[in-house]
């Protein structure tokens, strides 16, 4: 089967981005994403608005993905879609569309776990990017998820650590809100952190046993710190914004690296692959590279466009499942809390 010319359409609609991608034998031919700017005014994703926008976007996004790939829907061998986890209303749009299209074309339907897809994005054929060998540690860091996963094979994964409250992306966004930054705040904090002193202000790292994470306490500590400082100096934030951002980022990166060090020690695995929107953060990427020299790690970071929510990662999982003949039935349903 692997010698055939296999075209898979991937559809992603788990949160606030409508995306479609066509993959041909492991190589991405198109990767189209329609972002939803409407949520910026609310400082976070509004689920009902997200699902409505998906309904408006999904047909033109899929149409554009097929055109950019230079194929028609009749050339497709299967439809892959995000089954979960994510916002239920958003997932329903992608799931319903994928089921209908697969049924109409009489081709296989493939359900994809969004979190597995972030990890398996490393197996997209892309010049200049190496694929991690099994076993490896996969770390997914995004606005909604923070996990460390032991990966023994494409679909043999074990979550060995995860957040017990906020995800890392939420820690950035909530800190940004305290500082009066826009949404999403992660890129702005990252940008300003490069201009500030990371040791200007010290924030205590939450103490969580094992490989699990906690970020809600850090957010509270930052809030109390800012409230205290602006009482004596109302201009404290504007006068020290770069240093505050650098200190917040330094603390968050320290939490991540500490847990990765522990995971590598406990498992004996030194190949570490990261994925998810926060993996685009320059501070985290630099810290991982430093880990190669300090701890003997080999680290893998996907191409930038495959880090945030995208359909290329859904398409690669669809391709790998297609090769195994692992198809879904037409009665498959979306699952907001789908586990790896």
């Amino acid at each position: 089967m692997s010698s055939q010319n296999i075209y898979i359409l991937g559809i992603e609609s788990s949160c606030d981005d409508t995306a479609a991608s066509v993959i041909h034998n492991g190589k991405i031919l198109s990767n189209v994403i329609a972002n939803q700017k409407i949520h910026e005014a609310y400082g976070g994703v509004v689920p009902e608005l997200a699902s409505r926008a998906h309904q408006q976007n999904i047909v033109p996004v899929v149409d554009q993905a097929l055109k950019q790939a230079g194929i028609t829907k009749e050339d497709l061998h299967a439809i892959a879609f995000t089954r979960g986890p994510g916002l239920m209303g958003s997932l329903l749009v992608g799931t319903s569309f994928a089921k209908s299209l697969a049924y109409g074309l009489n081709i296989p339907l493939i359900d994809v776990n969004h979190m597995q897809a972030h990890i398996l994005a490393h197996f997209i054929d892309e010049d200049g990017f190496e694929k991690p060998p099994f076993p490896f540690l996969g770390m997914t860091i995004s606005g909604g998820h923070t996990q460390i996963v032991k990966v023994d094979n494409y679909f043999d994964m074990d979550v060995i650590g995860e957040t017990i409250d906020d995800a890392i992306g939420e820690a950035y966004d909530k800190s940004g809100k305290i500082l009066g930054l826009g949404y999403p705040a992660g890129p702005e904090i990252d940008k300003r952190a490069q201009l500030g002193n990371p040791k200007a202000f010290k924030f205590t790292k939450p103490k969580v046993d094992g490989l699990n994470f906690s970020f809600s306490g850090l957010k509270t500590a930052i809030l109390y710190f800012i409230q205290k400082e602006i009482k004596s100096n109302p201009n404290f934030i504007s006068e020290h914004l770069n240093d505050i951002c650098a200190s917040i980022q330094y603390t968050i990166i320290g939490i991540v690296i500490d847990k990765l060090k522990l995971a590598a020690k406990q498992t004996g695995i030194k190949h570490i692959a990261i994925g998810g929107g926060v993996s685009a953060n320059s501070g985290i990427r630099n810290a991982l590279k430093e880990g190669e020299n300090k701890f003997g790690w080999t680290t893998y970071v996907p191409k930038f466009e495959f880090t945030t929510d995208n359909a290329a990662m859904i398409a690669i999982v669809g391709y790998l499942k297609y090769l195994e003949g692992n198809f879904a039935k037409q009665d498959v349903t979306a699952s907001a809390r789908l586990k790896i």
Side-chain angles (χ1 to χ4, degrees):
M1 188 179 286
S2 61
S3 62
Q4 296 179 8
N5 281 322
I6 299 168
Y7 293 94
I8 308 288
L9 172 67
I11 296 171
E12 156 63 19
S13 69
S14 65
C15 190
D16 62 332
D17 292 325
T18 315
S21 174
V22 175
I23 194 169
H24 174 233
N25 294 347
K27 190 83 174 175
I28 297 299
L29 300 184
S30 63
N31 188 30
V32 180
I33 302 174
N35 302 113
Q36 299 178 8
K37 299 293 184 184
I38 192 170
H39 305 287
E40 292 178 4
Y42 299 95
V45 177
V46 182
E48 179 62 26
L49 295 178
S51 55
R52 289 181 187 178
H54 282 305
Q55 289 179 309
Q56 295 172 342
N57 293 337
I58 195 161
V59 172
V61 164
V62 168
D63 182 60
Q64 194 63 32
L66 291 171
K67 285 178 178 175
Q68 286 187 16
I71 65 169
T72 67
K73 61 183 184 296
E74 285 75 24
D75 295 315
L76 294 171
H77 291 77
I79 310 294
F81 70 97
T82 302
R83 184 185 170 205
L87 301 175
M88 181 54 85
S90 296
L91 291 167
L92 285 172
V93 176
T95 301
S96 301
F97 185 89
K99 288 168 70 172
S100 301
L101 187 56
Y103 185 80
L105 294 172
N106 194 29
I107 57 176
L109 179 69
I110 301 171
D111 63 311
V112 174
N113 183 302
H114 181 86
M115 301 311 296
Q116 283 188 336
H118 271 306
I119 293 170
L120 295 179
H122 287 274
F123 293 92
I124 294 171
D125 287 338
E126 193 69 35
D127 293 339
F129 290 83
E130 290 187 26
K131 300 173 184 177
F134 299 114
F136 67 89
L137 294 176
M139 185 169 201
T140 52
I141 45 178
S142 67
H145 305 278
T146 305
Q147 293 181 332
I148 300 177
V149 183
K150 183 173 177 285
V151 186
D152 291 312
N153 213 319
Y154 295 125
F155 303 108
D156 184 5
M157 301 183 185
D158 182 28
V159 178
I160 58 176
E162 60 189 336
T163 183
I164 59 174
D165 42 57
D166 289 348
I168 186 171
E170 289 176 287
Y172 272 105
D173 289 335
K174 290 176 179 177
S175 297
K177 194 168 186 177
I178 294 167
L179 299 175
L181 303 179
Y183 173 87
E188 181 70 13
I189 291 176
D190 183 26
K191 179 181 171 183
R192 290 186 173 277
Q194 296 172 54
L195 304 173
N197 176 7
K199 297 184 179 180
F201 308 106
K202 185 173 182 179
F203 300 110
T204 305
K205 295 178 186 175
K207 290 182 170 61
V208 183
D209 291 338
L211 298 174
N212 286 337
F213 298 84
S214 172
F215 291 103
S216 65
L218 174 62
K219 169 204 66 183
T220 305
I222 293 167
L223 174 64
Y224 289 163
F225 167 78
I226 294 297
Q227 288 176 339
K228 177 185 173 185
E229 293 297 332
I230 60 177
K231 277 184 179 178
S232 55
N233 178 8
N235 299 318
F236 178 78
I237 293 176
S238 59
E239 291 175 3
H240 300 278
L241 187 54
N242 290 342
D243 286 346
I244 298 168
C245 289
S247 300
I248 290 171
Q249 176 141 302
Y250 179 78
T251 306
I252 290 174
I253 291 172
I255 294 168
V256 169
I257 296 300
D258 286 349
K259 292 297 182 179
L260 277 178
K261 282 165 57 179
L262 184 58
K265 182 179 179 181
Q266 288 185 1
T267 62
I269 298 171
K270 293 195 173 184
H271 290 275
I272 298 171
I274 65 167
V278 182
S279 65
N281 180 283
S282 66
I284 288 176
R285 288 181 175 230
N286 291 337
L288 282 172
K289 282 298 172 188
E290 289 175 12
E292 292 188 341
N293 297 324
K294 286 184 181 178
F295 315 120
W297 296 346
T298 303
T299 61
Y300 305 82
V301 182
K303 191 176 179 180
F304 183 81
E305 68 178 289
F306 304 144
T307 56
T308 53
D309 288 351
N310 66 91
M313 69 183 195
I314 306 303
I316 184 62
V317 179
Y319 174 67
L320 294 170
K321 281 194 165 187
Y322 185 89
L323 295 180
E324 294 185 358
N326 187 354
F327 306 139
K329 295 180 180 179
Q330 273 290 330
D331 62 358
V332 66
T333 58
S335 175
R337 297 186 179 277
L338 188 66
K339 301 291 186 184
I340 287 182

